[in-house]
């Protein structure tokens, strides 16, 4: 991998934004299928240019406008903000107080500098493979909670380019959450509390919350290798004192004597656990036993979130595929299925992918007839950026599938009245009755039958004339003035109907479909569900 030189960044950015930045996927993400009018146009972008020139309230009409502006300005950093009530670029022309942030993804920012009081290998903005395990644990704990405790489906994890990770929760319902709800979520996910002057920052109650218990199970998988071997948190007396500050004072003397006899952090940790279990627990004051061990593990390994980033709707966050101006690394998506294998030092730099592109271009004869879009889509695939764009595309694919499913549900549910008006659903009267044990027939008029998971509920009704009864039971195709009769179908009704407990096994129904729909779709023996879905 080529060594990155910040002095080369201006020229490298020109190549990156012109030939390598994944504009189609980027626009596809932030446009969210174009379902909401002007959603992308009301999104705020901010650019940080050379010499720390900061430009806020940028907005664009289309992907083309975004491309042109980014290729013109070549920003050192890109931040994404909220979706506003008006175009951000016109915020100065809007009446005072009318320009408001309305929606934004729920975001989380986890920075390695927040762990400086518990990591020994690095400090400040520096990271290494030893302390990166903290980010791995944080991603696993937060992602599991977002999925299992809150039911959020679409979570995009992104490497910041230097010392941290970001999470974008993109569910439609989540983007509409208020600041108060966002604050509640991040508060739920926060356990390490207190400033630099507070030594003990984790306090467990008598009953441990299932989220905390699950987090402890994740930490246990990494704790020995990370804390006791990699960080060697009990190596010497200076480090012992940090641990002793987290346990009850009644244990200090015994632990100091025992630590001196041990020869490694692993041995001292086992001695600490045995000693803690010997003391009776006073839950109102000092907690002994397993609480001592768990509180230490949580303080050293539990995720530390920036609450202000998450709770503010109008708070900006660094964009995926932005370039870090000091390291040159690209802010790339992370595959959570391979989070343990993710290596921040293997992330491509802007200099390395530009060099790969230059090498591939000299080895291949360029086809001048290719359009710029085709050439750009082909260019990033020649570099180390390709696997990370693929992870992003997989995320977008799941987002698209979910959005289409939600649109189908809403469309069918909201169209139930429309179907009642536009379609004549005529049920064969013979199937609306079934014999009971006493030989009598019970009517089911007005009962509801659910004809499919995504279908509206229709009320079955008697045919009001003999002519309609004949139409309902006739399997032939009959034309009416404006509609075409689709032959009857059979579907199971609920076992308990609520009217005399009549046992109905099936129904026969005919559906009259508009002539235009029939000719357009060439319907013949379509089922009711297929006809409804096509018409929706």
């Amino acid at each position: 991998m080529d060594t990155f030189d910040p002095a080369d960044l201006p020229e490298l950015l020109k190549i990156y934004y012109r030939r390598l930045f994944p504009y189609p996927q980027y626009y596809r993400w932030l446009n969210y299928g174009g379902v909401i009018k002007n959603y992308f146009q009301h999104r705020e972008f901010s650019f940080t240019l050379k010499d720390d020139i900061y430009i806020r309230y940028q907005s664009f009409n289309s992907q083309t406008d975004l491309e042109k502006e980014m290729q013109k300005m070549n920003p050192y950093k890109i931040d994404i903000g909220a979706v506003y009530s008006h175009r951000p670029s016109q915020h100065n022309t809007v009446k005072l107080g009318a320009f408001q942030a309305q929606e934004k993804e729920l975001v989380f920012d986890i920075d390695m500098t927040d762990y400086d009081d518990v990591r020994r290998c690095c400090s400040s903005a520096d990271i290494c493979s030893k302390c990166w395990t903290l980010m791995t644990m944080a991603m696993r704990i937060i992602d599991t909670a977002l999925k299992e405790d809150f039911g959020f489906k679409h979570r995009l994890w992104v490497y910041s380019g230097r010392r941290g990770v970001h999470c974008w929760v993109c569910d439609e319902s989540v983007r509409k959450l208020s600041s108060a709800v966002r604050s509640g979520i991040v508060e739920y996910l926060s356990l390490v509390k207190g400033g630099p002057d507070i030594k003990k920052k984790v306090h467990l109650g008598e009953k441990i919350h299932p989220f905390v218990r699950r987090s402890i199970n994740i930490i246990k998988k990494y704790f020995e290798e990370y804390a006791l071997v990699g960080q060697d948190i009990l190596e010497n007396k200076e480090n012992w004192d940090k641990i002793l500050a987290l346990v009850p004072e009644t244990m200090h003397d015994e632990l100091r004597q025992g630590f001196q006899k041990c020869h490694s952090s692993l041995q001292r940790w086992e001695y600490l656990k045995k000693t803690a279990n010997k003391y009776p627990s006073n839950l109102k004051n000092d907690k002994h036993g397993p609480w001592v061990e768990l509180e230490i593990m949580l303080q050293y390994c539990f995720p530390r979130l920036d609450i202000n980033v998450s709770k503010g709707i109008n708070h900006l966050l660094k964009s995926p595929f932005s370039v870090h101006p000091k390291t040159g690394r690209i802010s790339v998506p992370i595959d959570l299925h391979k989070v343990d294998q993710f290596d921040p030092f293997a992330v491509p730099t802007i200099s390395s992918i530009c060099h790969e592109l230059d090498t591939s271009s000299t080895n291949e004869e360029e086809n001048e007839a290719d359009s710029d879009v085709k050439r750009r889509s082909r260019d990033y695939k020649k570099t180390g950026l390709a696997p990370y764009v693929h992870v992003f595309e997989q995320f977008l694919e799941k987002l698209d599938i979910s959005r289409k499913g939600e649109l189908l549900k809403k469309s069918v549910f909201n169209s139930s009245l429309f179907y009642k008006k536009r379609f004549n659903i005529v049920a064969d009267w013979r199937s609306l009755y079934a014999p009971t044990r006493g030989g009598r027939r019970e009517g089911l008029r007005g009962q509801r039958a659910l004809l499919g998971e995504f279908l509206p509920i229709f009320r079955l009704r008697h045919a009001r004339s003999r002519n309609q009864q004949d139409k309902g039971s006739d399997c032939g195709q009959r034309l009416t003035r404006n509609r075409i009769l689709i032959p009857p179908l059979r579907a199971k009704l609920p076992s308990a109907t609520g009217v005399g407990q009549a046992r109905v096994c099936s129904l026969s129904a005919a559906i009259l479909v508009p002539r235009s729909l029939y000719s357009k779709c060439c319907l013949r023996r379509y089922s009711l569900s297929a006809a409804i879905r096509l018409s929706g």
Side-chain angles (χ1 to χ4, degrees):
M1 184 176 291
D2 289 7
T3 303
F4 170 70
D5 184 359
D8 297 333
L9 188 57
E11 294 301 319
L12 293 174
L13 286 172
K14 293 179 182 179
I15 301 173
Y16 178 67
Y17 289 127
R18 183 168 58 89
R19 301 186 61 182
L20 294 170
F21 191 90
Y23 292 105
Q25 295 88 341
Y26 193 75
Y27 176 78
R28 179 182 166 193
W29 170 40
L30 295 176
N31 192 43
Y32 289 101
V35 176
I36 302 176
K37 186 178 180 181
N38 293 327
Y39 199 83
F40 180 80
Q41 289 78 3
H42 288 191
R43 170 80 69 168
E44 180 194 1
F45 296 86
S46 76
F47 294 156
T48 303
L49 308 182
K50 187 178 180 180
D51 299 325
D52 289 332
I53 299 174
Y54 188 56
I55 305 175
R56 277 199 69 174
Y57 299 115
Q58 301 291 297
S59 61
F60 309 98
N61 290 325
S62 63
Q63 176 186 330
T64 303
D65 289 347
L66 175 67
E67 291 184 34
K68 290 180 179 179
E69 193 66 18
M70 288 176 65
Q71 292 172 11
K72 174 185 175 182
M73 304 185 75
N74 296 312
Y76 276 44
K77 180 187 175 186
I78 306 169
D79 289 303
I80 299 176
V83 177
Y84 284 84
S85 55
H86 302 78
R87 294 175 186 259
S89 58
Q90 301 173 357
H91 73 282
N92 288 326
T93 64
V94 179
K95 184 179 179 181
L96 184 65
F99 184 70
Q100 298 290 334
Q102 294 184 324
E103 292 188 19
K104 184 175 179 284
E105 295 81 2
L106 176 62
V107 295
F108 298 95
D109 181 12
I110 308 175
D111 200 307
M112 192 71 80
T113 55
D114 294 328
Y115 294 86
D116 281 353
D117 62 320
V118 293
R119 60 175 180 153
R120 299 183 60 206
C121 53
C122 307
S123 63
S124 188
D126 296 329
I127 62 169
C128 68
S129 58
K130 292 181 180 180
C131 58
W132 186 256
T133 307
L134 288 167
M135 294 293 106
T136 302
M137 288 187 282
M139 285 187 281
R140 286 202 176 278
I141 290 171
I142 299 299
D143 190 76
T144 303
L146 294 174
K147 177 183 177 181
E148 297 186 8
D149 296 348
F150 294 99
F152 300 155
K153 298 179 181 179
H154 306 291
R155 310 167 305 279
L156 176 66
W157 286 91
V158 181
Y159 171 52
S160 68
R162 191 176 191 182
R163 61 177 183 266
V165 294
H166 303 149
C167 178
W168 299 74
V169 185
C170 303
D171 299 45
E172 180 182 359
S173 59
V174 176
R175 301 198 303 268
K176 300 177 181 179
L177 294 178
S178 64
S179 295
V181 177
R182 294 167 190 260
S183 298
I185 293 173
V186 73
E187 193 70 28
Y188 174 88
L189 298 172
S190 300
L191 193 62
V192 181
K193 299 179 181 180
D197 297 332
I198 299 176
K199 294 182 179 180
K200 186 176 176 61
K201 301 179 180 180
V202 176
H203 299 271
L204 294 179
E206 179 181 357
K207 294 182 179 180
I208 299 178
H209 192 278
F211 162 60
V212 178
R213 179 69 66 184
R214 188 174 58 237
S215 301
I216 292 170
N217 292 335
I218 294 174
I219 291 172
K220 284 182 177 179
K221 298 177 182 178
Y222 298 91
F223 186 77
E224 180 177 322
E225 184 66 26
Y226 160 71
L228 302 179
V229 178
Q231 297 293 324
D232 207 2
I233 61 174
L234 292 169
E235 179 186 12
N236 50 43
K237 187 177 183 302
E238 180 183 355
N239 293 298
W240 302 348
D241 292 337
K242 292 182 179 180
I243 296 294
L244 292 176
L246 307 180
V247 303
E249 293 184 2
T250 53
M251 298 171 55
H252 287 190
D253 293 338
E254 184 174 354
L255 288 175
R256 284 195 182 97
Q257 295 176 5
F259 284 169
Q260 293 176 358
K261 299 177 182 179
C262 300
H263 304 288
S264 67
S265 290
L266 285 169
Q267 293 179 356
R268 294 184 181 105
W269 181 252
E270 291 299 324
Y271 182 79
L272 184 149
K273 292 194 292 184
K274 291 179 182 179
T275 304
N277 288 326
K278 293 192 304 183
Y279 285 78
S281 293
N282 183 353
L283 295 175
K284 293 184 178 180
N285 298 309
D286 293 335
K287 294 188 290 290
H288 297 78
W291 279 274
V292 173
E293 171 193 357
L294 300 180
E295 288 178 346
I296 294 173
M297 293 172 63
L298 290 168
Q299 179 152 337
Y300 272 75
C301 301
F302 194 83
R304 304 185 176 194
L305 304 175
D306 189 333
I307 297 178
N308 293 324
V309 172
S310 300
K311 73 178 183 180
I313 299 178
N314 58 351
H315 200 290
L316 293 102
L317 187 64
K318 185 177 183 181
S319 167
F321 299 102
S322 184
V323 180
H324 197 288
K326 294 185 178 179
T327 64
R329 298 193 191 105
I330 311 297
S331 183
V332 294
I334 299 173
D335 185 355
L336 258 292
H337 295 100
K338 302 178 181 178
V339 66
D340 289 323
Q341 290 78 43
F342 181 81
D343 181 5
F345 300 102
V347 171
T349 62
I350 187 171
S351 55
S352 68
I353 60 176
C354 288
H355 177 72
E356 291 170 352
L357 180 63
D358 183 58
T359 302
S360 64
S361 298
T362 56
N363 295 334
E364 298 178 6
E365 183 178 352
E366 292 290 338
N367 186 354
E368 297 296 334
D370 285 349
S371 67
D372 184 61
V373 175
K374 290 183 179 179
R375 185 164 58 249
R376 188 190 305 123
S377 64
R378 186 180 65 220
D379 284 342
Y380 82 80
K381 294 180 180 179
K382 303 174 185 177
T383 70
L385 194 62
Y388 301 100
V389 176
H390 179 65
V391 172
F392 191 48
E393 288 175 338
Q394 288 179 321
F395 167 78
L396 295 177
E397 190 66 27
K398 294 178 181 178
L399 198 62
D400 288 344
I401 293 173
S402 176
R403 181 169 55 248
K404 291 176 182 177
E406 291 297 326
L407 286 174
L408 180 59
K409 288 181 181 180
K410 290 180 180 179
S411 175
V412 174
F413 179 78
N414 294 333
S415 301
S416 59
L417 293 177
F418 169 80
Y419 290 127
K420 289 180 180 179
K421 294 178 180 179
R422 293 294 301 275
F423 294 91
N424 284 335
I425 300 179
V426 186
D428 184 358
W429 68 274
R430 283 181 290 272
S431 62
L432 292 178
Y433 293 84
T436 61
R437 288 186 179 181
R440 296 181 295 105
R441 294 178 180 270
E442 299 284 351
L444 301 181
R445 184 174 182 176
Q447 297 309 302
R448 304 199 296 182
L450 185 60
L451 301 179
E453 181 181 357
F454 299 108
L455 304 183
I457 296 175
F458 292 93
R459 290 188 176 275
L460 302 179
R461 61 181 174 84
H462 287 291
R464 296 192 180 277
S465 68
R466 181 67 182 177
N467 185 36
Q468 288 180 317
Q469 292 172 10
D470 292 338
K471 287 183 179 179
S473 57
D474 187 4
C475 290
Q477 176 179 302
R478 295 170 180 264
L479 299 180
T480 64
R481 182 178 180 183
N482 296 317
R483 298 180 176 86
I484 295 176
L485 182 68
I486 301 301
L489 73 152
R490 299 183 68 80
K492 292 183 178 180
L493 282 171
S495 57
T497 60
V499 180
Q501 299 298 318
R503 295 167 294 170
V504 177
C505 300
S506 65
L507 64 91
S508 297
I511 178 171
L512 295 175
V513 182
R515 186 188 300 270
S516 59
L517 176 64
Y518 183 86
S519 59
K520 182 179 179 181
C521 302
C522 298
L523 294 174
R524 273 197 174 278
R525 296 284 301 180
Y526 263 92
S527 66
L528 176 60
S529 60
I532 290 175
R533 288 177 183 173
L534 285 171
S535 61

